[in-house]
Amino acid sequence: MSALPEPGRGQGPGTLIPPPLPAPAPDLPALRQRYKGGKAELVGHFKHTQRQSAASVNRLLRALARHVDGTLRELWDQQRLGTLAPGATLVAVGGFGRGELFPHSDVDLLVLLPEAKPGPGEREPERECERDDSPARAAVAAFVTACWDIGLECGSAVRSVEQCLAEAARDVTVQTSLLEARHICGSKRLFEQLRGALDHEMDARAFFTAKTLELRQRHVKYEGTPYALEPNCKESPGGLRDLQVVIWVARAAGLGRTWTELAAKGLITPFEASQLAKHEGTLKLIRARLHAVAGRREDRLVFDLQTAVAESFGLKPTKGQRSSEVLMHRYYWAAKAVTQLNQILMLNIEERIVGSERAPMRPITIRFFDRGGALEVAHDDLYLRDPHAILETFLVFVRTPGLQGLSARTLRALYNARTVMDAGFRRDPVNHQLFMEILRQPKGQTHALRLMNQTSVLGRYLWVFRRIVGRMQHDLFHVYTVDQHILMVVRNVRRFFIPEHAHEYPFCSQLAAQWDKPWLLYIAAIFHDVAKGRGGDHSELGAIEARRFNREHGIEGEDARLIEFVVKHHLTMSHLAQKEDLADPEVIRGFARLMGTPRRLNALYLLTVADIRGTSPKVWNAWKGKLLEDLYRLTLRALGGAQPNAAAEIEARKVEARQMLALHSALPGTEEPLWKTLEVSYFARHDAADIAWHARSLWRHVQCTEPIVRARPSSVGEGLQVLVYAPDQADLFARICGYFDNAGFSIQDAKIHTTRAGYALDTFQVASTLVEEDADIDYRSLISLVETQAVSALAATGPLPEPRRGRVSRRVRSFPVIPRVSLTPDERAQRWLLTVSASDRTGLLYAVARVLAAHHINLQLAKVTTLGERVEDTFLVDGPALQRPKAQLRIESEILDAVATPA
């Protein structure tokens, strides 16, 4: 290739080439001001318009993209890219390539440089676009820098056509980004060359496979549900990305670029196209509002912003719902529909690409076929001609081995048959019989109910269920929407009856093996929370709905009464186990009277365990399991006619404890020095294993002058059991709480006793908040640390330090719990039940204990219940101050101040 002529030298006789003029200084400040002002005007108009539609948000996104296009063209000219990088092309890729731009999205750019061609007889030159020091590269780098200088947050790449093809072959993300390439300025010919090369190299089948795997990985990353507490409206299942994937794979296969084009190719119906456009508009509106409210790129509907976004839409709180919950309900409905339509379209496109639509099918019945493991309807209008076939679909599904899901044709037929699922459909006795048949099947109920919910059949058949689909529960411990939680509880109940899951809940599986009608518990699980969000007691309202369901579905007698009873009292057992003193015979007698029969007790116990397990993975723990099981066993004994006999029970525990001491080689009588100092209440509240451990640990230290601390791994799961024995003092419990708080332990349970000799004998169930879940714990080191540090902390003198105002989570800040404190006396006004409900935070229990110590309140029992990020603590207390009404009010007021969420 010939060298370029030097400036001022001719290329021929009489030819004179003047030297290039210096580039005029670009007016970047003015361009920045125009860009910022134009964007602010567009976004400001959008923010101040509450009544909006899909058309209005699409206008905003296109207007923002055009505004950036114009800015980039002006900057391209100012930077003289056409001269300094001849033949170069500026291309919009990614989301910007679609001609849409959200208020704070990145601007994805590709600067396409031409290949350097050798002249006749010349060697292949070094590619200009690959040289970092080339003038073209330098000009492009200056252009990208100028983009940032004027306020454009851009992601950029500089490549030749050949490099683009190589990158696309290696990385499907790059291939996807280039699929939506759009010319902005520069060489149109080079851009068309890129487009043609990309189309030629596209392998639709490989691209579909890659995008499907990518979609599955993304769904797993976002927990596989559109109902996350803080969903990403772009990336979560049911978000905008699910719609974009459909367009990408359809475009790669040449099936269309818009919903209208897909409808024209027969992939979707006109109705589905309108539904897709509607839900896409809803998601775009929410995302655009989210950007505008946050003032930054933020695609997650985080708690901090949900209320502000809802108010920007003009949404107002309703009875039983915050404005943020109204917004999230709207989002979840759109996301659920997108999930359905994405599944239908991806299956349809796969059939077109792979050719499986012509694959042979195995007949199941006259109306249904097995197409490669998917249930297929025989006719597209089957459900419109015979609505009974809708529920029959799910009955066939659970009865037929080998079926993994529903085909695209079946999903579409169900989606388009929603209008026939009306009041008459819900009242039809044939449908009642079909639904009961599904529940009575030996297996498959969980999968069937989930499919029915995904396809909107469950909510249209059970209209009361439809009202809670997508309803969020901002109560700080539920992490699922109400419908998802209900189906999770059904799944948990179902697992009790599956032998393969017996290792998860051995006691529940043992009870379930003796239960004759599992479907009764499935119905109770479906209705236990179905009245959430209406206002009023959802347990009472749910029982009314269950009664109506029983009447319509022919469930009578004791079966009907059992379902209604379990729904009405589904919170009672949990409340008693976690808040009441189970050593009190009156508590057990009262609960046994309420149960009436062992069958009701069994049903309520199974549903209670399934319910707690279905709220959040963090709410259940082994200690709560033990409390529930203890309550169950004590109540079952009372129902069997065994009257509580405290003396006999205590004597039996002592005998068992002595046997355990003998197994540890303790001499006879080892226990006597300690036991002589203990009240009956001590033996009533501890089991034999604890009693033996205490005697073994303290037999040499009954008259000690220094605190004794012993710890061991908990016998009921994670955490430690810690024994504290020390001369009693008014602030001892507060000092213990202060130590555990500072050492990173949460107290789950505390049993407090004072011996006749004036010693405190306290037992704590604690769990480390600093150890990650499922992490390997070195218990020997942890026990040694606790025993050493706790003794030092308890030996300290002087006033109690001020409690730390620990940080609270974003969720607590967004949805704070109103602190509540109550003091209620027992029948003889000798002991008082103190209950505290508040948002959880570090140092909370210590703050309460400090108030009690200041008023010389004696603590006998503490039950600490953590429900996600809400605590409900119960204390059994006594003290002279509680006999004076003014002192009571002062104590309650000080505790309220202590547990209040810090600003």
Side-chain angles (χ1 to χ4, degrees), residues 711-738:
R712 65 176 181 174
S714 173
S715 60
V716 291
E718 65 283 352
L720 295 176
Q721 199 171 13
V722 181
L723 165 66
V724 176
Y725 185 77
D728 199 16
Q729 60 190 67
D731 62 358
L732 183 65
F733 180 70
R735 290 192 184 278
I736 296 172
C737 291

Short mmCIF file of all heavy atoms in Angstrom, two decimals, residues 711-738:
data_model
loop_
_atom_site.label_atom_id
_atom_site.label_comp_id
_atom_site.label_asym_id
_atom_site.label_seq_id
_atom_site.Cartn_x
_atom_site.Cartn_y
_atom_site.Cartn_z
N ALA A 711 -21.52 -24.30 79.26
CA ALA A 711 -22.23 -24.30 77.97
C ALA A 711 -22.06 -25.66 77.29
O ALA A 711 -21.08 -26.38 77.56
CB ALA A 711 -21.71 -23.18 77.07
N ARG A 712 -23.00 -25.99 76.45
CA ARG A 712 -22.92 -27.23 75.67
C ARG A 712 -23.72 -27.03 74.38
O ARG A 712 -24.60 -26.16 74.32
CB ARG A 712 -23.47 -28.41 76.45
CG ARG A 712 -24.96 -28.32 76.75
CD ARG A 712 -25.47 -29.56 77.44
NE ARG A 712 -26.91 -29.50 77.71
CZ ARG A 712 -27.62 -30.52 78.21
NH1 ARG A 712 -27.00 -31.66 78.51
NH2 ARG A 712 -28.92 -30.40 78.41
N PRO A 713 -23.42 -27.82 73.34
CA PRO A 713 -24.24 -27.72 72.12
C PRO A 713 -25.70 -28.02 72.44
O PRO A 713 -26.01 -28.90 73.24
CB PRO A 713 -23.64 -28.78 71.19
CG PRO A 713 -22.24 -28.99 71.69
CD PRO A 713 -22.32 -28.79 73.18
N SER A 714 -26.58 -27.28 71.81
CA SER A 714 -28.01 -27.47 72.07
C SER A 714 -28.45 -28.86 71.66
O SER A 714 -28.00 -29.40 70.64
CB SER A 714 -28.81 -26.42 71.30
OG SER A 714 -30.19 -26.68 71.40
N SER A 715 -29.32 -29.44 72.45
CA SER A 715 -29.85 -30.77 72.14
C SER A 715 -30.99 -30.72 71.14
O SER A 715 -31.50 -31.76 70.72
CB SER A 715 -30.32 -31.46 73.43
OG SER A 715 -31.34 -30.68 74.04
N VAL A 716 -31.41 -29.51 70.76
CA VAL A 716 -32.57 -29.38 69.86
C VAL A 716 -32.20 -28.65 68.57
O VAL A 716 -33.00 -27.93 68.00
CB VAL A 716 -33.74 -28.65 70.56
CG1 VAL A 716 -34.31 -29.51 71.64
CG2 VAL A 716 -33.29 -27.30 71.10
N GLY A 717 -30.95 -28.81 68.13
CA GLY A 717 -30.59 -28.18 66.87
C GLY A 717 -29.41 -27.25 67.01
O GLY A 717 -28.48 -27.50 67.78
N GLU A 718 -29.45 -26.14 66.28
CA GLU A 718 -28.33 -25.22 66.23
C GLU A 718 -28.21 -24.43 67.52
O GLU A 718 -29.14 -24.32 68.30
CB GLU A 718 -28.50 -24.25 65.04
CG GLU A 718 -29.69 -23.31 65.13
CD GLU A 718 -31.02 -23.95 64.81
OE1 GLU A 718 -31.04 -25.11 64.36
OE2 GLU A 718 -32.04 -23.27 65.01
N GLY A 719 -27.01 -23.86 67.76
CA GLY A 719 -26.82 -22.99 68.90
C GLY A 719 -26.29 -23.70 70.13
O GLY A 719 -25.85 -24.85 70.10
N LEU A 720 -26.31 -22.98 71.26
CA LEU A 720 -25.78 -23.47 72.53
C LEU A 720 -26.84 -23.40 73.62
O LEU A 720 -27.76 -22.59 73.55
CB LEU A 720 -24.59 -22.60 72.98
CG LEU A 720 -23.31 -22.59 72.13
CD1 LEU A 720 -22.32 -21.60 72.72
CD2 LEU A 720 -22.70 -23.98 72.05
N GLN A 721 -26.66 -24.24 74.62
CA GLN A 721 -27.43 -24.15 75.84
C GLN A 721 -26.44 -23.67 76.91
O GLN A 721 -25.37 -24.28 77.09
CB GLN A 721 -28.02 -25.50 76.22
CG GLN A 721 -29.17 -25.42 77.19
CD GLN A 721 -29.86 -26.77 77.36
OE1 GLN A 721 -29.34 -27.79 76.94
NE2 GLN A 721 -31.03 -26.77 77.98
N VAL A 722 -26.75 -22.58 77.57
CA VAL A 722 -25.82 -21.96 78.51
C VAL A 722 -26.45 -21.92 79.90
O VAL A 722 -27.59 -21.46 80.07
CB VAL A 722 -25.44 -20.53 78.05
CG1 VAL A 722 -24.44 -19.91 79.03
CG2 VAL A 722 -24.85 -20.54 76.64
N LEU A 723 -25.68 -22.42 80.89
CA LEU A 723 -26.10 -22.41 82.29
C LEU A 723 -25.33 -21.32 83.03
O LEU A 723 -24.11 -21.25 82.94
CB LEU A 723 -25.83 -23.78 82.92
CG LEU A 723 -25.87 -23.88 84.44
CD1 LEU A 723 -27.28 -23.62 84.96
CD2 LEU A 723 -25.36 -25.24 84.90
N VAL A 724 -26.06 -20.46 83.74
CA VAL A 724 -25.45 -19.41 84.56
C VAL A 724 -25.90 -19.61 86.00
O VAL A 724 -27.10 -19.65 86.29
CB VAL A 724 -25.85 -18.01 84.07
CG1 VAL A 724 -25.26 -16.94 85.00
CG2 VAL A 724 -25.38 -17.78 82.64
N TYR A 725 -24.90 -19.75 86.90
CA TYR A 725 -25.19 -19.94 88.33
C TYR A 725 -24.36 -18.91 89.08
O TYR A 725 -23.13 -18.89 88.99
CB TYR A 725 -24.82 -21.35 88.75
CG TYR A 725 -25.18 -21.70 90.18
CD1 TYR A 725 -26.49 -21.99 90.53
CD2 TYR A 725 -24.20 -21.75 91.17
CE1 TYR A 725 -26.82 -22.33 91.84
CE2 TYR A 725 -24.52 -22.09 92.48
CZ TYR A 725 -25.83 -22.38 92.81
OH TYR A 725 -26.16 -22.71 94.11
N ALA A 726 -25.04 -18.03 89.83
CA ALA A 726 -24.32 -16.95 90.51
C ALA A 726 -25.16 -16.39 91.65
O ALA A 726 -26.40 -16.54 91.65
CB ALA A 726 -24.01 -15.83 89.50
N PRO A 727 -24.50 -15.78 92.63
CA PRO A 727 -25.29 -15.09 93.67
C PRO A 727 -26.24 -14.09 93.02
O PRO A 727 -25.85 -13.32 92.14
CB PRO A 727 -24.20 -14.38 94.50
CG PRO A 727 -22.96 -15.19 94.27
CD PRO A 727 -23.05 -15.66 92.86
N ASP A 728 -27.51 -14.15 93.44
CA ASP A 728 -28.52 -13.33 92.76
C ASP A 728 -28.32 -11.84 93.04
O ASP A 728 -27.87 -11.45 94.12
CB ASP A 728 -29.92 -13.75 93.22
CG ASP A 728 -30.99 -13.29 92.26
OD1 ASP A 728 -30.65 -12.91 91.13
OD2 ASP A 728 -32.17 -13.30 92.66
N GLN A 729 -28.63 -11.05 92.04
CA GLN A 729 -28.62 -9.59 92.18
C GLN A 729 -29.64 -9.03 91.21
O GLN A 729 -30.03 -9.68 90.24
CB GLN A 729 -27.23 -9.03 91.89
CG GLN A 729 -26.71 -9.34 90.49
CD GLN A 729 -25.25 -8.97 90.30
OE1 GLN A 729 -24.36 -9.58 90.91
NE2 GLN A 729 -24.99 -7.97 89.48
N ALA A 730 -30.08 -7.82 91.45
CA ALA A 730 -31.22 -7.25 90.71
C ALA A 730 -30.95 -7.14 89.21
O ALA A 730 -31.86 -7.28 88.40
CB ALA A 730 -31.57 -5.88 91.29
N ASP A 731 -29.69 -6.85 88.85
CA ASP A 731 -29.41 -6.59 87.43
C ASP A 731 -28.73 -7.77 86.74
O ASP A 731 -28.13 -7.60 85.68
CB ASP A 731 -28.55 -5.33 87.30
CG ASP A 731 -27.19 -5.47 87.98
OD1 ASP A 731 -26.94 -6.53 88.58
OD2 ASP A 731 -26.39 -4.52 87.90
N LEU A 732 -28.80 -8.98 87.36
CA LEU A 732 -28.07 -10.11 86.79
C LEU A 732 -28.56 -10.46 85.39
O LEU A 732 -27.77 -10.66 84.46
CB LEU A 732 -28.20 -11.33 87.72
CG LEU A 732 -27.41 -12.57 87.28
CD1 LEU A 732 -25.92 -12.29 87.32
CD2 LEU A 732 -27.76 -13.77 88.16
N PHE A 733 -29.88 -10.57 85.22
CA PHE A 733 -30.42 -10.92 83.91
C PHE A 733 -30.03 -9.88 82.86
O PHE A 733 -29.68 -10.23 81.73
CB PHE A 733 -31.95 -11.04 83.98
CG PHE A 733 -32.60 -11.40 82.68
CD1 PHE A 733 -32.44 -12.65 82.12
CD2 PHE A 733 -33.36 -10.46 81.98
CE1 PHE A 733 -33.03 -12.98 80.89
CE2 PHE A 733 -33.94 -10.77 80.76
CZ PHE A 733 -33.78 -12.03 80.22
N ALA A 734 -30.05 -8.61 83.22
CA ALA A 734 -29.67 -7.56 82.28
C ALA A 734 -28.20 -7.69 81.88
O ALA A 734 -27.84 -7.50 80.71
CB ALA A 734 -29.92 -6.18 82.89
N ARG A 735 -27.33 -8.02 82.85
CA ARG A 735 -25.91 -8.18 82.52
C ARG A 735 -25.69 -9.38 81.59
O ARG A 735 -24.85 -9.34 80.69
CB ARG A 735 -25.09 -8.32 83.80
CG ARG A 735 -25.02 -7.04 84.61
CD ARG A 735 -23.98 -7.11 85.70
NE ARG A 735 -24.03 -5.89 86.51
CZ ARG A 735 -23.44 -4.75 86.17
NH1 ARG A 735 -22.75 -4.66 85.03
NH2 ARG A 735 -23.53 -3.69 86.96
N ILE A 736 -26.45 -10.46 81.84
CA ILE A 736 -26.33 -11.63 80.96
C ILE A 736 -26.77 -11.27 79.54
O ILE A 736 -26.09 -11.60 78.56
CB ILE A 736 -27.19 -12.79 81.51
CG1 ILE A 736 -26.66 -13.25 82.86
CG2 ILE A 736 -27.18 -13.95 80.52
CD1 ILE A 736 -27.56 -14.25 83.57
N CYS A 737 -27.90 -10.57 79.43
CA CYS A 737 -28.39 -10.15 78.11
C CYS A 737 -27.37 -9.23 77.42
O CYS A 737 -27.15 -9.33 76.21
CB CYS A 737 -29.73 -9.43 78.23
SG CYS A 737 -31.09 -10.51 78.72
N GLY A 738 -26.79 -8.33 78.20
CA GLY A 738 -25.78 -7.43 77.65
C GLY A 738 -24.59 -8.18 77.10
O GLY A 738 -24.05 -7.85 76.03
#
